[in-house]
Amino acid sequence: MEGSGNSMDLLDLKEFDEEALKKESEELLEMRFLNGENAVFSRTPGGFLALKTKDKEYARVGVYLTFPLTNPEEFISVRESDEKAKEIGIIEKLSQLPEEQQDMLREQIKLRYFMPVITKVLDVKDEYGYAYWNVVTAFGACRFTTQMSGDAVIHLSDSRLLVTDIDGNRYEIPDFYQLGVMERKKLDLFI
């Protein structure tokens, strides 16, 4: 008797889970656009971003750029702040929000996508499959390490470079040709 009751409970649980999964799948497939009419962003006392929509309030949300390097003002994904980072909606254009909210979002984006600009290359040494960089950025002197293989240095255009270190930090060289001749020679191995 006991065994038949347990199997029935498992069957009920399975049906419940299938319904929940179906509902969650439908929510994921539905694209929601957020704008000044259906969403209000605010700053929390801790400096994070909160969101209030017609349906729900979120005490903290994350902001992710769909096209961080080419179009940072459009198609911004707003997600829950937990480990699943479930998408709440998309901001089609940042300009669709009130100016104060745009500023809050830009601040959060700047924190998430911090990418110092390299203004001078002092030295780059290649040892044992790693490159050790000594550079000056817009924020001051910096040393970091990249792998020699892979995509440590990516061409974003003919002259714009993106450098990613072994910790995932990104640096930008906006115009390779604006660097001095000796600096460009130091980077020949990567270009």
Side-chain angles (χ1 to χ4, degrees), residues 30 32 38 52-58 88:
E30 179 187 343
R32 292 183 209 111
N38 64 7
K52 182 178 181 180
T53 65
K54 291 178 181 177
D55 304 327
K56 194 172 177 182
E57 288 189 39
Y58 301 88
I88 299 165

Side-chain angles (χ1 to χ4, degrees), residues 7-175:
S7 64
M8 191 62 161
D9 291 340
L10 290 174
L11 183 61
D12 290 340
L13 182 61
K14 185 177 177 186
E15 286 177 23
F16 173 77
D17 287 344
E18 285 179 22
E19 285 300 314
L21 183 61
K22 183 179 177 183
K23 183 181 178 193
E24 188 174 335
S25 296
E26 287 172 3
E27 288 176 3
L28 287 172
L29 292 173
E30 179 187 343
M31 184 173 286
R32 292 183 209 111
F33 287 101
L34 303 174
N35 55 47
E37 295 176 11
N38 64 7
V40 177
F41 292 92
S42 61
R43 194 181 321 272
T44 68
F48 298 107
L49 198 62
L51 170 63
K52 182 178 181 180
T53 65
K54 291 178 181 177
D55 304 327
K56 194 172 177 182
E57 288 189 39
Y58 301 88
R60 184 174 172 191
V61 295
V63 182
Y64 299 84
L65 298 178
T66 308
F67 304 104
L69 300 171
T70 57
N71 207 355
E73 295 272 320
E74 295 182 9
F75 300 104
I76 299 165
S77 175
V78 179
R79 302 178 191 171
E80 293 180 5
S81 64
D82 62 11
E83 62 278 347
K84 290 182 183 179
K86 180 180 168 189
E87 188 170 78
I88 299 165
I90 297 277
I91 300 168
E92 190 172 8
K93 292 183 184 209
L94 200 53
S95 60
Q96 294 174 333
L97 297 172
E99 192 69 37
E100 182 181 327
Q101 292 181 44
Q102 289 179 41
D103 292 342
M104 282 186 263
L105 285 159
R106 283 188 187 102
E107 178 183 293
Q108 292 297 313
I109 289 166
K110 193 174 182 181
L111 289 171
R112 180 173 302 282
Y113 294 93
F114 179 68
M115 186 168 52
V117 172
I118 295 174
T119 57
K120 186 166 186 67
V121 178
L122 302 173
D123 195 24
V124 182
K125 291 182 181 175
D126 170 23
E127 293 180 12
Y128 308 111
Y130 291 95
Y132 298 90
W133 298 65
N134 184 7
V135 301
V136 176
T137 71
F139 294 95
C142 182
R143 293 176 186 260
F144 59 89
T145 305
T146 62
Q147 291 185 337
M148 289 297 292
S149 60
D151 296 330
V153 179
I154 297 173
H155 289 267
L156 299 175
S157 71
D158 289 341
S159 61
R160 186 178 177 202
L161 304 175
L162 175 69
V163 182
T164 306
D165 71 12
I166 59 173
D167 294 320
N169 300 309
R170 295 170 299 230
Y171 304 86
E172 179 185 6
I173 299 175
D175 189 348

